[in-house]
Amino acid sequence: MAKIKGTKNSPRKEVIIIKASQLFREKGFNATSMRDLAEHVGVEAASLYNHIKSKSELLQEICFKVANNFMTHMEEVVISDRTAIGKLEAILRFHINQMLHNYEEVYVGDREWKHLTEPYLSNMRSQRRIYRQHIASIIEDGISKGEIKKIDAPTAVLIMLHAIGGIESWHRSQQKISGELLEENMVMIMIEGIKATGIL
Amino acid sequence: MAKIKGTKNSPRKEVIIIKASQLFREKGFNATSMRDLAEHVGVEAASLYNHIKSKSELLQEICFKVANNFMTHMEEVVISDRTAIGKLEAILRFHINQMLHNYEEVYVGDREWKHLTEPYLSNMRSQRRIYRQHIASIIEDGISKGEIKKIDAPTAVLIMLHAIGGIESWHRSQQKISGELLEENMVMIMIEGIKATGIL
DNA sequence: TAGATGTGCTAACGCCTGTTTGCTTTTATT
DNA sequence: AATAAAAGCAAACAGGCGTTAGCACATCTA
């Protein structure tokens, strides 16, 4: 039988997670209280527990959803037949687009994962390490093939990843350029910065 | 007779601020309790209040000390007779060195200032805006003089500033390259990324 | 219609928070 | 040695925290 609810087709838990993402991003995980969250959902704090197990669970769901998202894309890129520069550009563009169109959750996943509890904390740490190592490997591959100038790969990785985090400032900016233009500017600056010039 | 002391001569307060910087960096401002801090100082929580007025005051002192530090340097650079690229490189190197040698406080000043209370919060917001505008002006000047490729200046600013924030990862890294090498790598990648190539 | 299920509420719990009070001990100055 | 100031402590406060218990209602299922 078709279960058609009419007004309430979106489950309550989804709404809670979305609101939680916004608040965690805005004020941080620890500075966001359950009563705070409840008010934004339009409900009393106690009622939240009909849908979620704990405040921690909210952070876990947000962080691991984001992490899986990035990890899945990374695996596709790694097995693709792009050049090293092409792979980096693909990763860069994916990050930028995620930051542009999935802002709240991505931001929380990036900045608030430290407040996860074990064993999720260790799990996240290792996922992030693996992710960075993937990028470093691509860079080192590019260097050995002469596509990329001779730089320290881990340094290039941290520059790339953190530069993208700066899109946060763009979101808050008043006179912002379009997302497409932002993407092109970032890609140009970052990719040109590591490309081999033939001179060096 | 003469009260030479004021509230400044006490080194105890310095210790408290240093430990607070470490804890705020490690766990975040909200996740650091005064009892936590007291334990690291080697004292009971109540005793802290013989040296400081409030937890908030700690965050204020850290944030504004760092901000003044950067602002002072910025003003020196702005009035210098360097080229635009030269100015950017000077700013970049200053940031990197601060991040390397004054890590805890700089990190807190960068990531935890959101938890300041008014009027300090507004003050900090405007200081940061002014700082970014200074950099943007330098970039635009460089573009108009043909030193820098035609990019969106605010975008370049956010890339620069956030890329530096990535040194956080470097600090935690196990097999890290030397600070000098890190600096050279970062400068090379970032500066080359925005330099005019003559082709474009 | 009867029961089950989902969702909401009020009230409360135990714990932790930043901070104050009142008192004692250490340290520095005369 | 006497005295004043600085620095420490235990105890407590009021308020906020995440969370639970118990109950009420509404909706869906049989």
Side-chain angles (χ1 to χ4, degrees), chain B residues 17-48:
Chain B
I17 291 183
I18 289 170
K19 292 287 181 188
S21 299
Q22 291 172 4
L23 289 171
F24 291 171
R25 196 260 314 160
E26 197 176 308
K27 317 166 54 157
F29 176 73
N30 276 291
T32 302
S33 75
M34 294 304 276
R35 286 165 179 85
D36 229 8
L37 173 58
E39 193 176 344
H40 279 79
V41 174
V43 107
E44 289 299 317
S47 306
L48 294 173

PDB file of all heavy atoms in Angstrom, chain B residues 17-48:
ATOM      1  N   ILE B  17      47.948  32.138  30.871  1.00  0.00           N
ATOM      2  CA  ILE B  17      47.609  32.430  29.474  1.00  0.00           C
ATOM      3  C   ILE B  17      48.243  31.417  28.528  1.00  0.00           C
ATOM      4  O   ILE B  17      47.620  30.965  27.568  1.00  0.00           O
ATOM      5  CB  ILE B  17      48.032  33.866  29.100  1.00  0.00           C
ATOM      6  CG1 ILE B  17      47.138  34.867  29.838  1.00  0.00           C
ATOM      7  CG2 ILE B  17      47.966  34.090  27.599  1.00  0.00           C
ATOM      8  CD1 ILE B  17      47.399  36.307  29.501  1.00  0.00           C
ATOM      9  N   ILE B  18      49.478  31.047  28.829  1.00  0.00           N
ATOM     10  CA  ILE B  18      50.159  30.064  27.986  1.00  0.00           C
ATOM     11  C   ILE B  18      49.439  28.720  28.023  1.00  0.00           C
ATOM     12  O   ILE B  18      49.168  28.098  26.991  1.00  0.00           O
ATOM     13  CB  ILE B  18      51.626  29.905  28.425  1.00  0.00           C
ATOM     14  CG1 ILE B  18      52.415  31.171  28.053  1.00  0.00           C
ATOM     15  CG2 ILE B  18      52.259  28.679  27.768  1.00  0.00           C
ATOM     16  CD1 ILE B  18      53.803  31.232  28.658  1.00  0.00           C
ATOM     17  N   LYS B  19      49.113  28.276  29.237  1.00  0.00           N
ATOM     18  CA  LYS B  19      48.407  26.995  29.364  1.00  0.00           C
ATOM     19  C   LYS B  19      47.025  27.086  28.721  1.00  0.00           C
ATOM     20  O   LYS B  19      46.549  26.124  28.102  1.00  0.00           O
ATOM     21  CB  LYS B  19      48.269  26.623  30.842  1.00  0.00           C
ATOM     22  CG  LYS B  19      49.577  26.290  31.528  1.00  0.00           C
ATOM     23  CD  LYS B  19      50.107  24.939  31.071  1.00  0.00           C
ATOM     24  CE  LYS B  19      51.420  24.611  31.786  1.00  0.00           C
ATOM     25  NZ  LYS B  19      52.060  23.403  31.233  1.00  0.00           N
ATOM     26  N   ALA B  20      46.382  28.224  28.892  1.00  0.00           N
ATOM     27  CA  ALA B  20      45.057  28.403  28.289  1.00  0.00           C
ATOM     28  C   ALA B  20      45.151  28.312  26.769  1.00  0.00           C
ATOM     29  O   ALA B  20      44.312  27.668  26.126  1.00  0.00           O
ATOM     30  CB  ALA B  20      44.464  29.743  28.708  1.00  0.00           C
ATOM     31  N   SER B  21      46.181  28.907  26.207  1.00  0.00           N
ATOM     32  CA  SER B  21      46.371  28.843  24.753  1.00  0.00           C
ATOM     33  C   SER B  21      46.479  27.395  24.299  1.00  0.00           C
ATOM     34  O   SER B  21      45.862  26.989  23.306  1.00  0.00           O
ATOM     35  CB  SER B  21      47.639  29.597  24.345  1.00  0.00           C
ATOM     36  OG  SER B  21      47.545  30.950  24.707  1.00  0.00           O
ATOM     37  N   GLN B  22      47.258  26.632  25.033  1.00  0.00           N
ATOM     38  CA  GLN B  22      47.441  25.228  24.662  1.00  0.00           C
ATOM     39  C   GLN B  22      46.125  24.462  24.703  1.00  0.00           C
ATOM     40  O   GLN B  22      45.795  23.704  23.793  1.00  0.00           O
ATOM     41  CB  GLN B  22      48.460  24.564  25.604  1.00  0.00           C
ATOM     42  CG  GLN B  22      49.876  25.081  25.415  1.00  0.00           C
ATOM     43  CD  GLN B  22      50.826  24.567  26.487  1.00  0.00           C
ATOM     44  OE1 GLN B  22      50.451  23.762  27.334  1.00  0.00           O
ATOM     45  NE2 GLN B  22      52.071  25.048  26.446  1.00  0.00           N
ATOM     46  N   LEU B  23      45.370  24.684  25.783  1.00  0.00           N
ATOM     47  CA  LEU B  23      44.124  23.942  25.941  1.00  0.00           C
ATOM     48  C   LEU B  23      43.054  24.408  24.959  1.00  0.00           C
ATOM     49  O   LEU B  23      42.337  23.589  24.382  1.00  0.00           O
ATOM     50  CB  LEU B  23      43.621  24.067  27.383  1.00  0.00           C
ATOM     51  CG  LEU B  23      44.460  23.299  28.393  1.00  0.00           C
ATOM     52  CD1 LEU B  23      44.049  23.645  29.820  1.00  0.00           C
ATOM     53  CD2 LEU B  23      44.320  21.803  28.166  1.00  0.00           C
ATOM     54  N   PHE B  24      42.954  25.716  24.777  1.00  0.00           N
ATOM     55  CA  PHE B  24      41.975  26.236  23.816  1.00  0.00           C
ATOM     56  C   PHE B  24      42.277  25.703  22.419  1.00  0.00           C
ATOM     57  O   PHE B  24      41.373  25.414  21.638  1.00  0.00           O
ATOM     58  CB  PHE B  24      42.004  27.771  23.796  1.00  0.00           C
ATOM     59  CG  PHE B  24      41.470  28.410  25.049  1.00  0.00           C
ATOM     60  CD1 PHE B  24      41.599  29.783  25.262  1.00  0.00           C
ATOM     61  CD2 PHE B  24      40.832  27.656  26.036  1.00  0.00           C
ATOM     62  CE1 PHE B  24      41.112  30.383  26.418  1.00  0.00           C
ATOM     63  CE2 PHE B  24      40.350  28.241  27.197  1.00  0.00           C
ATOM     64  CZ  PHE B  24      40.486  29.612  27.376  1.00  0.00           C
ATOM     65  N   ARG B  25      43.543  25.607  22.102  1.00  0.00           N
ATOM     66  CA  ARG B  25      43.920  25.104  20.789  1.00  0.00           C
ATOM     67  C   ARG B  25      43.552  23.628  20.662  1.00  0.00           C
ATOM     68  O   ARG B  25      42.988  23.179  19.677  1.00  0.00           O
ATOM     69  CB  ARG B  25      45.437  25.282  20.581  1.00  0.00           C
ATOM     70  CG  ARG B  25      45.910  25.157  19.156  1.00  0.00           C
ATOM     71  CD  ARG B  25      46.496  23.821  18.819  1.00  0.00           C
ATOM     72  NE  ARG B  25      47.438  23.337  19.826  1.00  0.00           N
ATOM     73  CZ  ARG B  25      47.787  22.075  19.961  1.00  0.00           C
ATOM     74  NH1 ARG B  25      47.284  21.165  19.143  1.00  0.00           N
ATOM     75  NH2 ARG B  25      48.617  21.695  20.914  1.00  0.00           N
ATOM     76  N   GLU B  26      43.862  22.890  21.716  1.00  0.00           N
ATOM     77  CA  GLU B  26      43.701  21.446  21.675  1.00  0.00           C
ATOM     78  C   GLU B  26      42.243  21.018  21.703  1.00  0.00           C
ATOM     79  O   GLU B  26      41.839  20.131  20.951  1.00  0.00           O
ATOM     80  CB  GLU B  26      44.428  20.850  22.902  1.00  0.00           C
ATOM     81  CG  GLU B  26      44.724  19.389  22.848  1.00  0.00           C
ATOM     82  CD  GLU B  26      45.516  18.984  24.086  1.00  0.00           C
ATOM     83  OE1 GLU B  26      46.547  19.633  24.358  1.00  0.00           O
ATOM     84  OE2 GLU B  26      45.092  18.055  24.806  1.00  0.00           O
ATOM     85  N   LYS B  27      41.462  21.632  22.577  1.00  0.00           N
ATOM     86  CA  LYS B  27      40.098  21.175  22.791  1.00  0.00           C
ATOM     87  C   LYS B  27      39.044  22.193  22.404  1.00  0.00           C
ATOM     88  O   LYS B  27      37.853  21.872  22.409  1.00  0.00           O
ATOM     89  CB  LYS B  27      39.912  20.808  24.270  1.00  0.00           C
ATOM     90  CG  LYS B  27      41.075  20.032  24.861  1.00  0.00           C
ATOM     91  CD  LYS B  27      41.046  19.967  26.382  1.00  0.00           C
ATOM     92  CE  LYS B  27      39.751  19.443  26.918  1.00  0.00           C
ATOM     93  NZ  LYS B  27      39.880  18.870  28.282  1.00  0.00           N
ATOM     94  N   GLY B  28      39.457  23.405  22.131  1.00  0.00           N
ATOM     95  CA  GLY B  28      38.490  24.462  21.863  1.00  0.00           C
ATOM     96  C   GLY B  28      38.134  25.218  23.127  1.00  0.00           C
ATOM     97  O   GLY B  28      38.264  24.694  24.236  1.00  0.00           O
ATOM     98  N   PHE B  29      37.701  26.444  22.957  1.00  0.00           N
ATOM     99  CA  PHE B  29      37.411  27.322  24.095  1.00  0.00           C
ATOM    100  C   PHE B  29      36.299  26.751  24.964  1.00  0.00           C
ATOM    101  O   PHE B  29      36.447  26.644  26.186  1.00  0.00           O
ATOM    102  CB  PHE B  29      37.015  28.718  23.579  1.00  0.00           C
ATOM    103  CG  PHE B  29      36.605  29.671  24.657  1.00  0.00           C
ATOM    104  CD1 PHE B  29      37.548  30.232  25.514  1.00  0.00           C
ATOM    105  CD2 PHE B  29      35.272  30.023  24.825  1.00  0.00           C
ATOM    106  CE1 PHE B  29      37.175  31.122  26.507  1.00  0.00           C
ATOM    107  CE2 PHE B  29      34.895  30.912  25.820  1.00  0.00           C
ATOM    108  CZ  PHE B  29      35.836  31.464  26.659  1.00  0.00           C
ATOM    109  N   ASN B  30      35.203  26.360  24.351  1.00  0.00           N
ATOM    110  CA  ASN B  30      34.050  25.896  25.115  1.00  0.00           C
ATOM    111  C   ASN B  30      34.287  24.549  25.792  1.00  0.00           C
ATOM    112  O   ASN B  30      33.678  24.270  26.814  1.00  0.00           O
ATOM    113  CB  ASN B  30      32.821  25.827  24.212  1.00  0.00           C
ATOM    114  CG  ASN B  30      32.132  27.166  24.090  1.00  0.00           C
ATOM    115  OD1 ASN B  30      31.540  27.658  25.038  1.00  0.00           O
ATOM    116  ND2 ASN B  30      32.243  27.774  22.927  1.00  0.00           N
ATOM    117  N   ALA B  31      35.131  23.757  25.217  1.00  0.00           N
ATOM    118  CA  ALA B  31      35.378  22.428  25.773  1.00  0.00           C
ATOM    119  C   ALA B  31      36.470  22.457  26.842  1.00  0.00           C
ATOM    120  O   ALA B  31      36.781  21.438  27.437  1.00  0.00           O
ATOM    121  CB  ALA B  31      35.754  21.447  24.668  1.00  0.00           C
ATOM    122  N   THR B  32      37.035  23.611  27.076  1.00  0.00           N
ATOM    123  CA  THR B  32      38.053  23.741  28.125  1.00  0.00           C
ATOM    124  C   THR B  32      37.425  24.353  29.365  1.00  0.00           C
ATOM    125  O   THR B  32      36.922  25.465  29.327  1.00  0.00           O
ATOM    126  CB  THR B  32      39.207  24.645  27.644  1.00  0.00           C
ATOM    127  OG1 THR B  32      39.773  24.100  26.453  1.00  0.00           O
ATOM    128  CG2 THR B  32      40.271  24.748  28.718  1.00  0.00           C
ATOM    129  N   SER B  33      37.446  23.618  30.471  1.00  0.00           N
ATOM    130  CA  SER B  33      36.854  24.138  31.702  1.00  0.00           C
ATOM    131  C   SER B  33      37.930  24.801  32.561  1.00  0.00           C
ATOM    132  O   SER B  33      39.122  24.529  32.411  1.00  0.00           O
ATOM    133  CB  SER B  33      36.187  23.017  32.485  1.00  0.00           C
ATOM    134  OG  SER B  33      37.159  22.212  33.116  1.00  0.00           O
ATOM    135  N   MET B  34      37.498  25.646  33.437  1.00  0.00           N
ATOM    136  CA  MET B  34      38.428  26.344  34.322  1.00  0.00           C
ATOM    137  C   MET B  34      39.122  25.348  35.258  1.00  0.00           C
ATOM    138  O   MET B  34      40.277  25.529  35.626  1.00  0.00           O
ATOM    139  CB  MET B  34      37.690  27.407  35.128  1.00  0.00           C
ATOM    140  CG  MET B  34      37.140  28.541  34.276  1.00  0.00           C
ATOM    141  SD  MET B  34      38.394  29.366  33.288  1.00  0.00           S
ATOM    142  CE  MET B  34      39.048  30.539  34.476  1.00  0.00           C
ATOM    143  N   ARG B  35      38.426  24.292  35.645  1.00  0.00           N
ATOM    144  CA  ARG B  35      39.042  23.267  36.493  1.00  0.00           C
ATOM    145  C   ARG B  35      40.135  22.515  35.717  1.00  0.00           C
ATOM    146  O   ARG B  35      41.170  22.139  36.258  1.00  0.00           O
ATOM    147  CB  ARG B  35      37.957  22.327  37.002  1.00  0.00           C
ATOM    148  CG  ARG B  35      37.079  22.946  38.095  1.00  0.00           C
ATOM    149  CD  ARG B  35      35.791  22.151  38.323  1.00  0.00           C
ATOM    150  NE  ARG B  35      34.949  22.723  39.377  1.00  0.00           N
ATOM    151  CZ  ARG B  35      34.064  23.703  39.161  1.00  0.00           C
ATOM    152  NH1 ARG B  35      33.911  24.207  37.958  1.00  0.00           N
ATOM    153  NH2 ARG B  35      33.339  24.184  40.163  1.00  0.00           N
ATOM    154  N   ASP B  36      39.832  22.325  34.438  1.00  0.00           N
ATOM    155  CA  ASP B  36      40.803  21.753  33.502  1.00  0.00           C
ATOM    156  C   ASP B  36      42.071  22.595  33.466  1.00  0.00           C
ATOM    157  O   ASP B  36      43.190  22.093  33.647  1.00  0.00           O
ATOM    158  CB  ASP B  36      40.173  21.786  32.104  1.00  0.00           C
ATOM    159  CG  ASP B  36      40.291  20.455  31.392  1.00  0.00           C
ATOM    160  OD1 ASP B  36      40.718  19.493  32.041  1.00  0.00           O
ATOM    161  OD2 ASP B  36      39.949  20.391  30.209  1.00  0.00           O
ATOM    162  N   LEU B  37      41.859  23.851  33.207  1.00  0.00           N
ATOM    163  CA  LEU B  37      42.970  24.792  33.102  1.00  0.00           C
ATOM    164  C   LEU B  37      43.754  24.852  34.410  1.00  0.00           C
ATOM    165  O   LEU B  37      44.989  24.811  34.403  1.00  0.00           O
ATOM    166  CB  LEU B  37      42.433  26.180  32.736  1.00  0.00           C
ATOM    167  CG  LEU B  37      43.421  27.344  32.736  1.00  0.00           C
ATOM    168  CD1 LEU B  37      44.583  27.097  31.790  1.00  0.00           C
ATOM    169  CD2 LEU B  37      42.698  28.643  32.371  1.00  0.00           C
ATOM    170  N   ALA B  38      43.018  24.920  35.512  1.00  0.00           N
ATOM    171  CA  ALA B  38      43.660  25.005  36.828  1.00  0.00           C
ATOM    172  C   ALA B  38      44.592  23.828  37.057  1.00  0.00           C
ATOM    173  O   ALA B  38      45.725  23.991  37.528  1.00  0.00           O
ATOM    174  CB  ALA B  38      42.584  25.056  37.915  1.00  0.00           C
ATOM    175  N   GLU B  39      44.122  22.657  36.688  1.00  0.00           N
ATOM    176  CA  GLU B  39      44.919  21.452  36.890  1.00  0.00           C
ATOM    177  C   GLU B  39      46.240  21.529  36.135  1.00  0.00           C
ATOM    178  O   GLU B  39      47.296  21.137  36.654  1.00  0.00           O
ATOM    179  CB  GLU B  39      44.119  20.228  36.443  1.00  0.00           C
ATOM    180  CG  GLU B  39      44.722  18.914  36.895  1.00  0.00           C
ATOM    181  CD  GLU B  39      43.841  17.725  36.501  1.00  0.00           C
ATOM    182  OE1 GLU B  39      42.660  17.972  36.174  1.00  0.00           O
ATOM    183  OE2 GLU B  39      44.335  16.582  36.499  1.00  0.00           O
ATOM    184  N   HIS B  40      46.172  22.055  34.918  1.00  0.00           N
ATOM    185  CA  HIS B  40      47.396  22.174  34.120  1.00  0.00           C
ATOM    186  C   HIS B  40      48.328  23.251  34.663  1.00  0.00           C
ATOM    187  O   HIS B  40      49.540  23.195  34.438  1.00  0.00           O
ATOM    188  CB  HIS B  40      47.052  22.456  32.660  1.00  0.00           C
ATOM    189  CG  HIS B  40      46.666  21.235  31.891  1.00  0.00           C
ATOM    190  ND1 HIS B  40      45.422  20.664  31.978  1.00  0.00           N
ATOM    191  CD2 HIS B  40      47.368  20.459  31.035  1.00  0.00           C
ATOM    192  CE1 HIS B  40      45.373  19.592  31.204  1.00  0.00           C
ATOM    193  NE2 HIS B  40      46.532  19.444  30.624  1.00  0.00           N
ATOM    194  N   VAL B  41      47.760  24.220  35.344  1.00  0.00           N
ATOM    195  CA  VAL B  41      48.584  25.261  35.944  1.00  0.00           C
ATOM    196  C   VAL B  41      49.167  24.751  37.271  1.00  0.00           C
ATOM    197  O   VAL B  41      50.189  25.233  37.742  1.00  0.00           O
ATOM    198  CB  VAL B  41      47.769  26.556  36.149  1.00  0.00           C
ATOM    199  CG1 VAL B  41      48.568  27.612  36.898  1.00  0.00           C
ATOM    200  CG2 VAL B  41      47.325  27.118  34.800  1.00  0.00           C
ATOM    201  N   GLY B  42      48.484  23.759  37.855  1.00  0.00           N
ATOM    202  CA  GLY B  42      48.934  23.194  39.117  1.00  0.00           C
ATOM    203  C   GLY B  42      48.349  23.915  40.313  1.00  0.00           C
ATOM    204  O   GLY B  42      49.028  24.203  41.298  1.00  0.00           O
ATOM    205  N   VAL B  43      47.061  24.174  40.245  1.00  0.00           N
ATOM    206  CA  VAL B  43      46.394  25.034  41.208  1.00  0.00           C
ATOM    207  C   VAL B  43      44.908  24.689  41.222  1.00  0.00           C
ATOM    208  O   VAL B  43      44.431  23.995  40.338  1.00  0.00           O
ATOM    209  CB  VAL B  43      46.665  26.509  40.773  1.00  0.00           C
ATOM    210  CG1 VAL B  43      45.438  27.156  40.184  1.00  0.00           C
ATOM    211  CG2 VAL B  43      47.256  27.302  41.907  1.00  0.00           C
ATOM    212  N   GLU B  44      44.183  25.130  42.221  1.00  0.00           N
ATOM    213  CA  GLU B  44      42.738  24.917  42.227  1.00  0.00           C
ATOM    214  C   GLU B  44      42.043  25.987  41.380  1.00  0.00           C
ATOM    215  O   GLU B  44      42.558  27.094  41.222  1.00  0.00           O
ATOM    216  CB  GLU B  44      42.185  24.941  43.649  1.00  0.00           C
ATOM    217  CG  GLU B  44      42.583  23.734  44.464  1.00  0.00           C
ATOM    218  CD  GLU B  44      42.086  22.424  43.868  1.00  0.00           C
ATOM    219  OE1 GLU B  44      40.920  22.379  43.434  1.00  0.00           O
ATOM    220  OE2 GLU B  44      42.866  21.468  43.807  1.00  0.00           O
ATOM    221  N   ALA B  45      40.865  25.627  40.876  1.00  0.00           N
ATOM    222  CA  ALA B  45      40.170  26.528  39.943  1.00  0.00           C
ATOM    223  C   ALA B  45      39.951  27.914  40.541  1.00  0.00           C
ATOM    224  O   ALA B  45      40.137  28.933  39.872  1.00  0.00           O
ATOM    225  CB  ALA B  45      38.842  25.920  39.521  1.00  0.00           C
ATOM    226  N   ALA B  46      39.567  27.941  41.791  1.00  0.00           N
ATOM    227  CA  ALA B  46      39.260  29.234  42.424  1.00  0.00           C
ATOM    228  C   ALA B  46      40.468  30.155  42.442  1.00  0.00           C
ATOM    229  O   ALA B  46      40.329  31.378  42.346  1.00  0.00           O
ATOM    230  CB  ALA B  46      38.745  28.998  43.844  1.00  0.00           C
ATOM    231  N   SER B  47      41.642  29.569  42.568  1.00  0.00           N
ATOM    232  CA  SER B  47      42.866  30.374  42.665  1.00  0.00           C
ATOM    233  C   SER B  47      43.162  31.147  41.377  1.00  0.00           C
ATOM    234  O   SER B  47      43.857  32.167  41.410  1.00  0.00           O
ATOM    235  CB  SER B  47      44.049  29.476  43.001  1.00  0.00           C
ATOM    236  OG  SER B  47      43.775  28.726  44.159  1.00  0.00           O
ATOM    237  N   LEU B  48      42.655  30.651  40.287  1.00  0.00           N
ATOM    238  CA  LEU B  48      42.897  31.349  39.027  1.00  0.00           C
ATOM    239  C   LEU B  48      42.390  32.779  39.086  1.00  0.00           C
ATOM    240  O   LEU B  48      42.961  33.687  38.485  1.00  0.00           O
ATOM    241  CB  LEU B  48      42.211  30.608  37.868  1.00  0.00           C
ATOM    242  CG  LEU B  48      42.733  29.217  37.519  1.00  0.00           C
ATOM    243  CD1 LEU B  48      41.846  28.567  36.465  1.00  0.00           C
ATOM    244  CD2 LEU B  48      44.163  29.286  37.021  1.00  0.00           C
TER     245      LEU B  48
END
